[in-house]
Amino acid sequence: MYTITKEFHFSASHQLHGLPEDHQCARLHGHNYVVVIELRAEALNAHGFVRDYHDLCAFKRYVDETLDHRHLNDVLGDDCVTAERLAKHFHDWCHARWPEVTAAKVSETPKTWAEYRP
């Protein structure tokens, strides 16, 4: 099995509604997000790739145009935009375009990661 990953970055704000008032994530705040998309294939294509990294430019455009420097609650229409939910959103967006996508990971801080892998 061959596996490749590509990393993307964006900055955005969010707020997690429904948490106790004293919870830091209940307040409006932002992160410098890191997203890693994983793709797998049992065989390489005619060019020796799982998928040409250049194909993933569409995801970078989506992130840059839709999410970067935005308020994620508004963009995604969700009062609880967690890293876990973002990971699933990114997986589903990518998998609909590239069937080799097997997972998406999201980091809000250098020490925390959430992953969605069906």
Side-chain angles (χ1 to χ4, degrees):
M1 185 66 68
Y2 297 94
T3 303
I4 63 170
T5 60
K6 185 160 172 116
E7 185 174 292
F8 302 87
H9 297 251
F10 71 100
S11 299
S13 67
H14 73 143
Q15 187 172 9
L16 302 181
H17 298 279
L19 293 174
E21 279 186 32
D22 62 341
H23 194 290
Q24 63 189 16
C25 294
R27 297 187 300 268
L28 177 64
H29 63 285
H31 298 286
N32 294 316
Y33 288 94
V34 179
V35 179
V36 175
I37 304 299
E38 177 187 280
L39 300 88
R40 287 185 171 200
E42 290 187 18
L44 301 177
N45 67 18
H47 302 288
F49 300 140
V50 169
R51 164 77 55 182
D52 188 339
Y53 287 113
H54 182 73
D55 293 348
L56 302 180
C57 288
F59 182 65
K60 179 172 178 12
R61 268 192 315 279
Y62 168 71
V63 168
D64 289 349
E65 294 173 4
T66 308
L67 304 172
D68 190 41
H69 285 84
R70 310 254 188 215
H71 184 59
L72 298 179
N73 299 71
D74 293 342
V75 173
L76 299 175
D78 190 338
D79 281 346
C80 192
V81 181
T82 61
E84 292 88 341
R85 288 184 173 173
L86 282 172
K88 181 171 185 342
H89 174 79
F90 293 143
H91 170 274
D92 293 349
W93 193 98
C94 291
H95 190 265
R97 288 151 181 84
W98 309 295
E100 304 90 352
V101 171
T102 54
K105 291 174 57 172
V106 175
S107 173
E108 293 179 334
T109 72
K111 295 182 181 182
T112 62
W113 287 90
E115 178 176 337
Y116 179 78
R117 180 183 302 273

